[in-house]
Amino acid sequence: MFIEQAFRGKTDFWRYLIGSLIIAIVASIGQLPLLFAVLLKSGFDPMALQADRLMQTLDKNLTTFFILISFAIGFIGLWIALKFLHEINLKTITTTRKKVDWKRVLLGFSLVGIFTSVSVLVSYQMTPENYIWNFKPDKFLILFVMAIVLVPIQTSLEEFIFRGYLMQGFGVLAKNRWFPLIMTSLIFGLLHIANPEVGKMGYSILIFYIGTGLFLGIITLMDEGTELALGFHAANNLIAILLVTADWTAFQSESVLIDIADPSVTWDTFLPLIILYPIYFIIMAKVYKWKNWKEKLTGKIQVPVSERNQSI
């Protein structure tokens, strides 16, 4: 079982607290190149570091690069936590299978990639006045290469932390599955509170982020691995960077389209939670023959005999 794999290493909960702190510190260090570049470009004007100016000081491609590279640096923090605090490897928080199932990654990627791309194109055809055609071949080619390489690193780090590391950590603490599912979903959603989307659309948009975290957590527990979530998250962010962005989103890249509509939270904001995610559940459950939903999502964590004996 996925959460029980944590017992292959050291599972004292204080290790997860310190590990999370290490990851956060290293990830923060990863943001220093962006801050330094902004200061250098602005003549070391501290006002340039304000949220409303930070994303407008540098070239969009350069800004995107610095944002994404910070996650690559953040991987160092995760590696330190796994190797030196828990004495496990990355595969332990990735999957229960003998090796990563790339077909599962591809399925997760394809589902969100196809649905989201089609929905964006339909929206563009129906309401072209809400978009600006921004395709610039030279800049887009740079963005495309950069995104293909770095976006999967960014999204994989988030999945390894939330659906892997913290899912196992809270599971070890609570000895059940529902608590880590709820906690990782809440933390994942609330950490988006600093995103410019929240400032523009209000706190109610956090429901979408928490719901997405819940969806990713459920498919991880049901499938006994993070592969589907890895593919899903990578496709979602790739489309967000390459196909359509806006001046109020976390990524403001040289995408094909720029959304200029005034954003607001309406009933259709939550359509993915109500319609698309259940469809994804049905497809994945059919393909991989998921069973025992109640046990896998709310059941107890069985501590291995060796671990119980060691604690005694």
Side-chain angles (χ1 to χ4, degrees):
M1 304 292 281
F2 181 66
I3 292 180
E4 282 85 343
Q5 288 199 141
F7 292 109
R8 294 178 178 179
K10 297 181 178 180
T11 57
D12 313 86
F13 192 67
W14 63 265
R15 296 177 186 274
Y16 288 96
L17 295 176
I18 294 178
S20 298
L21 180 61
I22 291 173
I23 295 169
I25 291 173
V26 175
S28 297
I29 293 173
Q31 296 175 2
L32 293 180
L34 171 62
L35 301 181
F36 180 76
V38 169
L39 286 174
L40 189 64
K41 181 70 173 181
S42 65
F44 289 90
D45 177 10
M47 298 298 292
L49 297 178
Q50 293 182 351
D52 58 343
R53 290 182 56 187
L54 183 63
M55 305 298 291
Q56 302 173 3
T57 303
L58 301 177
D59 171 82
K60 284 186 177 181
N61 275 343
L62 189 58
T63 302
T64 301
F65 171 78
F66 278 126
I67 291 175
L68 292 176
I69 205 69
S70 68
F71 289 88
I73 296 173
F75 254 105
I76 299 174
L78 179 62
W79 175 78
I80 292 172
L82 295 179
K83 182 175 178 61
F84 297 103
L85 283 174
H86 303 279
E87 298 181 3
I88 57 177
N89 57 31
L90 188 61
K91 180 181 172 296
T92 304
I93 63 169
T94 304
T95 184
T96 56
R97 286 164 274 279
K98 292 182 179 180
K99 58 182 180 179
V100 174
D101 187 343
W102 291 103
K103 290 183 179 180
R104 279 175 156 84
V105 177
L106 182 59
L107 177 66
F109 186 95
S110 299
L111 285 177
V112 67
I114 293 171
F115 274 104
T116 307
S117 298
V118 170
S119 65
V120 169
L121 294 176
V122 169
S123 177
Y124 176 64
Q125 291 296 322
M126 295 181 63
T127 57
E129 67 276 7
N130 289 340
Y131 299 91
I132 293 176
W133 182 260
N134 186 59
F135 182 65
K136 304 167 186 174
D138 53 342
K139 292 187 176 182
F140 182 80
L141 179 60
I142 295 172
L143 174 66
F144 181 82
V145 173
M146 179 170 54
I148 290 295
V149 174
L150 294 178
V151 167
I153 293 176
Q154 177 242 326
T155 56
S156 295
L157 179 62
E158 292 187 12
E159 290 309 306
F160 288 144
I161 291 173
F162 291 101
R163 259 60 66 178
Y165 186 67
L166 293 180
M167 183 76 78
Q168 291 183 353
F170 283 121
V172 166
L173 175 67
K175 300 298 188 295
N176 63 46
R177 290 176 170 79
W178 65 264
F179 182 76
L181 176 60
I182 298 300
M183 285 298 296
T184 55
S185 302
L186 287 173
I187 296 173
F188 176 77
L190 293 176
L191 281 179
H192 286 81
I193 200 167
N195 280 24
E197 295 95 324
V198 177
K200 191 73 173 181
M201 304 174 73
Y203 292 113
S204 57
I205 192 62
L206 292 175
I207 297 173
F208 175 78
Y209 292 121
I210 294 172
T212 299
L214 186 63
F215 166 79
L216 294 170
I218 290 174
I219 64 177
T220 296
L221 292 179
M222 289 304 303
D223 201 50
E224 301 291 357
T226 62
E227 289 100 332
L228 291 170
L230 287 169
F232 181 100
H233 203 158
N236 182 78
N237 284 29
L238 271 173
I239 291 172
I241 287 179
L242 295 176
L243 190 55
V244 57
T245 56
D247 62 3
W248 43 267
T249 56
F251 286 109
Q252 299 173 26
S253 65
E254 294 288 356
S255 55
V256 175
L257 297 172
I258 303 294
D259 186 347
I260 59 173
D262 189 29
S264 61
V265 176
T266 58
W267 66 273
D268 59 329
T269 304
F270 304 106
L271 278 181
L273 300 180
I274 301 170
I275 297 177
L276 286 184
Y277 290 179
I279 293 175
Y280 297 153
F281 277 136
I282 293 171
I283 294 173
M284 293 175 181
K286 289 286 186 181
V287 171
Y288 298 112
K289 299 179 174 58
W290 289 346
K291 298 178 181 178
N292 303 323
W293 287 71
K294 182 178 180 180
E295 174 62 25
K296 286 191 173 184
L297 298 181
T298 64
K300 294 182 178 180
I301 300 298
Q302 300 298 323
V303 182
V305 174
S306 59
E307 179 74 11
R308 293 201 297 267
N309 292 340
Q310 184 178 359
S311 62
I312 293 174

